[in-house]
Amino acid sequence: MHLNLDLQFFAGEKTEKATPKKREDERKKGRVAKSQDINTALLLLFSFITLTVLGSFMKEHMISLYTSSFSEYIHWDITEQSIMKLLKEVIIQFAMIVAPIMIIAFIISIAANLLQVGFLFTTEPLKFDLKKIDPIKGAKRIFSIRALVELLKSFLKIALIGSITFAVIWIFKDEMMMLALKNPINAVAFFGRVTITMGIAATIALLFLAVLDYMYQKYDFEKNIRMSKQDIKDEHKNIEGDPLIKSKLREKQRQIAMQRMMEEVPKADVVITNPTHYAIAIKYDETVAAAPIVVAKGTDKTALKIKEIAKENDVMTVENKPLAQSLYSLVDINEVIPEQFYQAVAEILAFVYKLEKKVN
């Protein structure tokens, strides 16, 4: 009894890697190894790169909007038409400013997901599930190892970004002290340069953490989808079908094939026997094949059944032990007999036709 319980315990322990079907089922539910930090880090990195490359373009549109507001729009009469025109022009200018960042953000968001999990669309996570609002399971999630890892990861990101920010400010501290001597345009350009430097440096550090996080997420995902030996057996049974049902199906197919074979025995020209262990029913029809065909064969009980049907339908039975054994071993049902047996079978058929001619 104790041994059986131990075996059941080990059979139920999830120690096996997930099968391809298990992975596919999890994927359909939207459960994949994915790090949100990868998306965030790539999004920030390419956003700052865009600011570096297209910063001048965006600055020109901002200055244009600022200049127009205080030199042109301020003198307009407040009417419905002027307000609509003002709104239209401001929206266009604002769109020109934010469009590069928005387009890059959209492309990188999609690319980051494709990079991690490929194309995946599922509505499964949106379905209502009472387990998601279960307070007990919620408490388990809050105090789980995963939650602790996420907390430590957050502290690490704060510490890392804080350190990088302080380091960048410390590097540029002397220039910051001299900002009072610079004109507004140079001061803004300086802050822009410092901000981009700080952003790219912090983002590269975040990207490094994101790669580590992705490795952890993959490890955690693989751990959570592990299967027990019993799970694999059950899955295999579901895919292949219950062995009992399959054996019954095979038995049914065998019975149908046997019935069809027996239906061909009355059409045979002769049945060659062992005499007790083998029975081979042969038919020759020159319009179907150039040589005789084996239409039925069997041993023991099947051979006896073939001989009974042959007797009932006046099909002659001829004893030839070596020929019966050879034909049974080498020729399948509905196959033409090999050339090596032509003469022996032809002699038997000639004998049968001669006897039938005498009887008729």
Side-chain angles (χ1 to χ4, degrees):
M1 179 67 178
H2 180 69
L3 179 60
N4 289 337
L5 289 174
D6 287 342
L7 290 174
Q8 290 176 5
F9 172 77
F10 286 116
E13 192 175 358
K14 298 185 182 297
T15 57
E16 307 301 312
K17 287 185 177 180
T19 61
K21 183 180 183 304
K22 172 74 171 178
R23 294 178 185 277
E24 184 62 27
D25 291 342
E26 292 294 317
R27 184 177 177 83
K28 289 178 181 177
K29 295 175 184 177
R31 299 171 187 167
V32 290
K34 176 184 173 183
S35 171
Q36 191 59 42
D37 288 348
I38 291 280
N39 296 26
T40 304
L42 289 176
L43 182 59
L44 287 173
L45 179 62
F46 281 91
S47 295
F48 281 115
I49 292 174
T50 303
L51 285 173
T52 303
V53 175
L54 301 177
S56 298
F57 169 82
M58 298 169 71
K59 181 191 75 173
E60 293 300 325
H61 280 278
M62 290 178 70
I63 293 174
S64 175
L65 179 60
Y66 181 82
T67 304
S68 298
S69 298
F70 288 95
S71 64
E72 183 180 351
Y73 301 150
I74 197 171
H75 299 296
W76 286 5
D77 294 329
I78 301 176
T79 63
E80 183 178 346
Q81 290 77 14
S82 64
I83 291 175
M84 291 300 295
K85 183 179 180 182
L86 173 63
L87 184 62
K88 179 181 177 182
E89 292 188 8
V90 170
I91 290 175
I92 291 173
Q93 290 287 349
F94 185 74
M96 296 294 289
I97 295 169
V98 301
I101 295 292
M102 297 298 292
I103 293 172
I104 289 297
F106 178 75
I107 293 173
I108 294 303
S109 297
I110 295 175
N113 282 290
L114 290 175
L115 182 66
Q116 293 188 79
V117 300
F119 180 77
L120 175 61
F121 177 78
T122 176
T123 58
E124 194 70 25
L126 301 177
K127 292 182 179 179
F128 180 73
D129 188 358
L130 288 173
K131 294 179 181 178
K132 293 180 180 179
I133 58 175
D134 187 343
I136 297 176
K137 291 192 174 182
K140 287 182 179 179
R141 283 195 297 269
I142 293 172
F143 298 103
S144 64
I145 297 295
R146 186 182 182 86
L148 180 61
V149 170
E150 292 296 326
L151 179 63
L152 293 174
K153 188 175 68 176
S154 299
F155 280 133
L156 182 59
K157 284 192 287 188
I158 293 171
L160 188 60
I161 293 172
S163 301
I164 291 173
T165 303
F166 177 79
V168 172
I169 293 174
W170 185 261
I171 292 170
F172 289 99
K173 69 180 186 304
D174 294 333
E175 289 185 63
M176 287 183 184
M177 296 298 180
M178 304 299 293
L179 282 177
L181 303 177
K182 293 184 178 183
N183 60 46
I185 293 178
N186 289 335
V188 171
F190 169 76
F191 277 116
R193 189 171 73 254
V194 172
T195 301
I196 289 176
T197 303
M198 191 183 299
I200 291 178
T203 301
I204 291 173
L206 281 178
L207 193 58
F208 173 73
L209 292 180
V211 172
L212 295 179
D213 180 60
Y214 176 75
M215 294 170 63
Y216 167 74
Q217 298 293 344
K218 191 171 181 62
Y219 162 77
D220 190 58
F221 175 73
E222 292 292 334
K223 180 181 176 182
N224 289 330
I225 64 170
R226 281 179 189 169
M227 303 172 70
S228 65
K229 289 182 171 62
Q230 187 60 44
D231 291 336
I232 295 176
K233 287 180 181 178
D234 292 341
E235 181 186 283
H236 183 74
K237 185 183 292 185
N238 291 333
I239 294 174
E240 300 295 329
D242 192 305
L244 183 60
I245 296 175
K246 286 180 67 178
S247 79
K248 288 183 178 179
L249 183 61
R250 284 196 295 267
E251 178 62 24
K252 185 68 176 177
Q253 292 171 340
R254 191 188 66 79
Q255 291 176 358
I256 293 172
M258 181 69 69
Q259 183 178 350
R260 288 177 180 172
M261 184 182 72
M262 293 303 178
E263 290 174 355
E264 295 297 318
V265 175
K267 304 173 187 177
D269 293 319
V270 65
V271 173
I272 303 173
T273 66
N274 189 26
T276 55
H277 296 296
Y278 295 88
I280 315 295
I282 291 176
K283 178 179 177 60
Y284 176 57
D285 186 347
E286 60 183 2
T287 61
V288 177
I293 297 173
V294 173
V295 295
K297 70 175 185 176
T299 60
D300 301 328
K301 291 183 179 180
T302 304
L304 183 61
K305 183 69 175 177
I306 290 173
K307 287 187 285 186
E308 288 177 356
I309 295 174
K311 185 176 180 181
E312 292 171 0
N313 292 273
D314 297 324
V315 176
M316 187 170 292
T317 300
V318 176
E319 180 181 335
N320 189 320
K321 293 181 181 180
L323 182 60
Q325 292 176 3
S326 299
L327 289 175
Y328 182 84
S329 301
L330 300 175
V331 188
D332 289 329
I333 297 170
N334 293 325
E335 279 191 0
V336 174
I337 64 171
E339 187 176 351
Q340 65 198 72
F341 301 118
Y342 279 5
Q343 184 175 351
V345 173
E347 290 176 356
I348 291 174
L349 287 174
F351 173 72
V352 170
Y353 293 154
K354 185 177 180 180
L355 287 178
E356 287 179 349
K357 190 173 182 181
K358 286 182 178 180
V359 171
N360 293 333

